[in-house]
Amino acid sequence: MTGDVALLLRRAGFGPTAAELAAAQRAGYPATLAALLAPTDPDIGAAGAPAPDLGPDPHSRLREPNGDQRAEADRQRQIDLERLSQWWLDRMAAARNQAVEKLAFFWQGHWATAVAKVKSPQLMLAQYHTIRAARDVRDLAQRMVRDPALVHWLDGQLNTREAPNENLARELFELFLLGIGHYTEADVKQAGRALTGWRIDLAGQVTVFHPPSHDAGNKTILGVTGAFTELGLVDMLLSQPACARFIASRLWFRYASSTDPIPEPTRERMAAGFPDPMAMLRAMFTDEAFAGTADSMVKQPIEWFVGGMRQLGVRPAAIPTEMLPEILNGLSGMGQRPFNPPSVGGWPAGGTWLTSAAAQVRLSLAGKIVSLTDPGPLTPDDVAYLLCVDGWTDRTYAVLRGVRNQRMLLTIGLASPEYLVT
C-alpha cells in the first residue's frame, strides 16, 4: 500500500504540522493510516482541551419571564455560544488523533443541526457529546433520532398524533440515511407517525417520550407493516442496502471529491465496512481513486482556519477575548461558523468557498492569525515548509519574493491558492 502521505494527512485531519508531516513520511503510508484511523494512545492533546461547563441553559430557569429577563437570557446564550465555538476550534487544533476529531466535524455537518434555530448552546454541546459517544453509524443514528438539538432543529417536538409533522422523517430518508430515490412520499408520511410523541426537556438537555402524543397504530414503511417507533424506523432504514452506499457517498464527498462522483467499485468497498466509519474511511484512503483526487478539493473555512492555527503553533484558546468576536465573524463571513450550517442540507463545498467576498475576509482573518505569532526571518521556502505546502507556483513565488514583512509573507501564504486546495 503506497500513497501520498501529505494528501492523507490533509484530508483525514485539519492539516498536519511540519513535524507531523515529516514523521509520517518517515513512517510511511500504511503506518500513518493505521495511526490515524485506529489510534492506540490516549489523545493527550484533546484531553488538554476539555469541554466547557456551560451550566444549564439560561432560558430553562425562567418561568413566565418578562422582556428584560428574556433579553438577559439571550445575552447569556450568546456568551455561551462564543465559549462553545472557541472551545471546539481549540479542540480541533489540539487533538492528536486528528481523524477522530475530523470525523466528529463531518458528522455535525452531516446531521446539519444549526444553533441559529436551536438557540441553546447547551443542546449543541450535548449533540457533540452524542456524536463522540457513538460506536458506529448504527449507534449514532439511534442516538441522533432522540437528540434534542436535532429534534428541535426539525420540529420533532411539534410532531404529535393529532398534528403530524414530517420534517424529521423526511430528512432521515433524504439527507441522513438513504438519499433521494429510495423511498416514496407515502413512506415519509408513515415514518412521521412513528416519530410522534417526543418533547424536549431543556433543563435536562434530553428528549422525553410522551405516550399520549404518540401514534401507536400500524404503519407501512418501505413495504413493511408494524407499530413502528423511532428506533424501529431507524433500524429499518439502516438495514437498507442503500444506506451503506449513501453514507459512503457522503464520506467521499467530504474527504475525497465534491465534484467527481464516487466510483462504483470504491463505493462498494467502502459500503462493505459499514457501519464502522473508520473501516469505510480506510477503504477509501487505500483506494486508487482517492489518490487521483489530489489538488482538487477546496478547504472548508474551518479546515483552513484550524489547519493554519496548528501549523503556526497557535491555540484558538489563546485568542484574546477582544479578538474572538472578530475571528468568529470572520468565519461567518467566509460562510462557516461552528455548530451553524446554513441549512439542513449541510455545508456547501468546492468553489462555493472561493468567492471574491470570501477571499477578502480570508485575507483579513489570515492577518489576525499571523498577528498572534512572532515569526523570525522567513523565506518563501520557509513558509511552504511551515504550512506544509508542496511548492509555490511561479506566480505566487514571485509575489512572495517581493514581500519583506514577515507577517505579510505568512498572511499571503495562508491565503494562497496552493494552501487553499488539497
Side-chain angles (χ1 to χ4, degrees):
M1 181 169 53
T2 60
D4 183 343
V5 170
L7 176 66
L8 173 64
L9 292 178
R10 290 172 188 139
R11 298 285 181 83
F14 293 95
T17 66
E20 288 170 341
L21 177 56
Q25 287 171 331
R26 289 193 298 271
Y29 201 93
T32 301
L33 182 62
L36 280 167
L37 301 186
T40 55
D41 295 329
D43 193 332
I44 299 173
D53 179 6
L54 300 179
D57 185 289
H59 277 270
S60 70
R61 297 188 291 254
L62 302 180
R63 298 290 180 270
E64 300 181 2
N66 58 36
D68 289 343
Q69 289 172 321
R70 280 195 294 271
E72 174 57 24
D74 287 343
R75 189 189 68 82
Q76 184 58 51
R77 274 182 165 175
Q78 192 57 40
I79 294 172
D80 291 343
L81 180 57
E82 286 194 359
R83 286 183 63 199
L84 181 64
S85 299
Q86 184 178 23
W87 162 74
W88 198 17
L89 292 169
D90 190 57
R91 185 176 176 108
M92 292 178 200
R96 300 278 183 86
N97 298 337
Q98 280 280 287
V100 175
E101 201 61 36
K102 181 71 173 289
L103 186 62
F105 177 65
F106 166 82
W107 286 127
Q108 208 286 322
H110 179 81
W111 293 90
T113 311
V115 72
K117 179 176 178 179
V118 175
K119 304 295 185 188
S120 171
Q122 285 75 6
L123 293 190
M124 301 307 299
L125 178 57
Q127 185 183 83
Y128 172 86
H129 288 311
T130 293
I131 289 171
R132 289 301 306 270
R135 297 183 301 277
D136 55 29
V137 181
R138 185 181 306 282
D139 187 32
L140 178 59
Q142 291 170 339
R143 291 171 184 256
M144 289 299 286
V145 76
R146 293 180 175 177
D147 176 73
L150 182 69
V151 169
H152 188 284
W153 170 233
L154 293 172
D155 306 312
Q157 80 280 14
L158 306 177
N159 185 17
T160 65
R161 179 167 56 87
E162 297 81 8
N165 183 302
E166 297 150 5
N167 287 352
L168 178 54
R170 186 176 306 281
E171 305 314 348
L172 281 173
F173 281 94
E174 180 177 336
L175 296 176
F176 301 152
L177 295 177
L178 289 188
I180 293 173
H182 300 285
Y183 59 91
T184 67
E185 186 64 20
D187 291 322
V188 171
K189 291 184 180 299
Q190 294 290 294
R193 294 174 57 210
L195 298 175
T196 51
W198 289 91
R199 297 176 175 178
I200 296 171
D201 174 0
L202 186 58
Q205 299 168 25
V206 294
T207 48
V208 178
F209 186 57
H210 185 244
S213 299
H214 177 65
D215 183 341
N218 280 340
K219 302 98 179 171
T220 299
I221 304 171
L222 299 175
V224 178
T225 299
F228 284 98
T229 62
E230 84 290 353
L231 292 183
L233 170 65
V234 166
D235 285 345
M236 162 166 277
L237 300 185
L238 288 164
S239 70
Q240 301 300 305
C243 182
R245 292 198 286 268
F246 176 70
I247 297 298
S249 297
R250 298 312 298 169
L251 289 167
W252 172 270
F253 182 81
R254 290 296 179 192
Y255 283 89
S257 177
S258 61
T259 53
D260 297 329
I262 181 172
E264 193 57 33
T266 307
R267 177 156 53 190
E268 293 305 314
R269 284 191 65 218
M270 292 177 65
F274 183 84
D276 180 354
M278 289 302 189
M280 299 177 79
L281 286 175
R282 183 178 298 106
M284 183 181 71
F285 289 139
T286 55
D287 195 286
E288 289 184 1
F290 173 73
T293 68
D295 302 322
S296 66
M297 282 203 81
V298 180
K299 293 178 181 176
Q300 299 178 65
I302 287 178
E303 292 174 322
W304 171 84
F305 175 80
V306 173
M309 297 291 275
R310 299 190 83 242
Q311 286 150 352
L312 297 185
V314 182
R315 288 279 294 271
I319 296 172
T321 303
E322 63 275 14
M323 184 187 288
L324 182 60
E326 298 175 22
I327 296 290
L328 295 176
N329 289 337
L331 289 171
S332 295
M334 288 195 292
Q336 190 172 50
R337 185 162 170 160
F339 297 108
N340 204 27
S343 73
V344 73
W347 302 111
T352 307
W353 304 119
L354 298 179
T355 64
S356 56
Q360 292 179 354
V361 176
R362 188 181 303 111
L363 192 62
S364 173
L365 197 51
K368 289 182 172 59
I369 296 172
V370 172
S371 74
L372 300 172
T373 68
D374 185 19
L378 291 171
T379 67
D381 290 338
D382 294 333
V383 175
Y385 174 78
L386 270 177
L387 302 183
C388 297
V389 172
D390 293 334
W392 306 115
T393 62
D394 291 344
R395 183 176 180 181
T396 301
Y397 191 72
V399 172
L400 292 173
R401 282 188 62 189
V403 177
R404 295 293 174 263
N405 181 293
Q406 305 305 303
R407 284 197 168 92
M408 182 57 69
L409 199 61
L410 276 176
T411 300
I412 294 174
L414 284 168
S416 68
E418 293 86 339
Y419 188 70
L420 286 174
V421 178
T422 68

